[in-house]
Amino acid sequence: MLKFNQILKHLKDFLREIGELTHFTSRFFKEAVRLPFEFKELLRQSYNMGNRSLLLVAITGFIIGLVLTLQTRPTLMEFGAVSWMPSMVGISIVREIGPMITALVCAGRIGSGIGAEIGSMRVTEQIDAMEVSGTNPFKYLVVTRIMATTLMIPLLVIFGDAIALYGSYLVENIKGAVSFQLYFNQVFDTLEFGDIVPATIKSFFFGFAIGLVGCFKGYFCDKGTAGVGKAANSAVVFTSLLLFIIDFIAVLAADIFYEL
């Protein structure tokens, strides 16, 4: 009986948090279209998120390209299909691996940073001070950050895909003496419009989810320094789970569209 009550309590807490997140999302859309627009803060946040994540995304993408090619090449050689390596790697990275891995990296790098930053402002009562002074903290802190992640994650995904393909090319160049032009000609000959567009569209949703959850966890942070750490940690965990759900829905929707 006690265990059942605990499960019921966790379920109620989960449903309540989903409801609060839904209300938080609706408030974002209302505030996003109201004047005045915080363009300077939006540009500052976009620059900080994009510029500070470039190196991490580049290293991650480069290693993904190297590992994927090194792991797949021996298998393709057994079947005499090593010439298909550029096509296979290109489709794998652009369709799925690139957007998903980049989004997960950014969830850890950007999402936790947003949760900790806004959470510390909540704990130190800076948000309350902004409300008292007549400033709209939701528009200044939340709307700008969510819009910045929504705009920057697709750009980071494209950058990460390019670096990953270059890493794959280096392996092919060393192992099979494949030229740069030949490798990327095969990659772009294989990629179609239907491969690039869905991956780009879902990366916008990835960015929105990262910014939304990070801001939500930080904005409703518990009091004390422990609350800031909890907000940053839960932002990463919740965002990662949400990214997998969004990815599943996107793949399922694309599959249904292709069948029609």
Side-chain angles (χ1 to χ4, degrees), residues 131-181:
E131 292 175 346
V132 171
S133 63
T135 305
N136 186 347
F138 193 93
K139 178 179 284 290
Y140 186 81
L141 299 176
V142 175
V143 174
T144 54
R145 282 166 173 77
I146 295 177
M147 292 184 68
T149 55
T150 306
L151 295 174
M152 294 309 300
I153 297 300
L155 298 179
L156 291 173
V157 166
I158 294 173
F159 177 73
D161 289 351
I163 297 297
L165 290 174
Y166 183 75
S168 176
Y169 152 73
L170 288 180
V171 175
E172 281 297 288
N173 181 259
I174 295 171
K175 295 281 188 178
V178 178
S179 67
F180 181 88
Q181 184 175 1

Side-chain angles (χ1 to χ4, degrees), residues 216-230:
F216 173 74
K217 292 295 184 179
Y219 205 79
F220 296 103
C221 172
D222 296 331
K223 297 296 183 181
T225 55
V228 177
K230 183 180 178 181

Side-chain angles (χ1 to χ4, degrees), residues 57-71 73 85-86 89-90 93 158-176 178-180 183-184 187:
V57 170
I59 295 174
T60 305
F62 186 72
I63 294 175
I64 289 172
L66 293 177
V67 172
L68 182 62
T69 307
L70 288 171
Q71 291 282 1
R73 200 170 197 279
M85 176 64 70
V89 172
I93 289 176
I158 294 173
F159 177 73
D161 289 351
I163 297 297
L165 290 174
Y166 183 75
S168 176
Y169 152 73
L170 288 180
V171 175
E172 281 297 288
N173 181 259
I174 295 171
K175 295 281 188 178
V178 178
S179 67
F180 181 88
Y183 182 89
F184 281 94
V187 169

Side-chain angles (χ1 to χ4, degrees), residues 72-83:
T72 310
R73 200 170 197 279
T75 304
L76 292 181
M77 288 183 66
E78 290 181 4
F79 294 96
V82 72
S83 60

Side-chain angles (χ1 to χ4, degrees), residues 252-260:
L252 185 62
D255 184 62
I256 295 174
F257 178 78
Y258 289 139
E259 288 181 356
L260 296 176

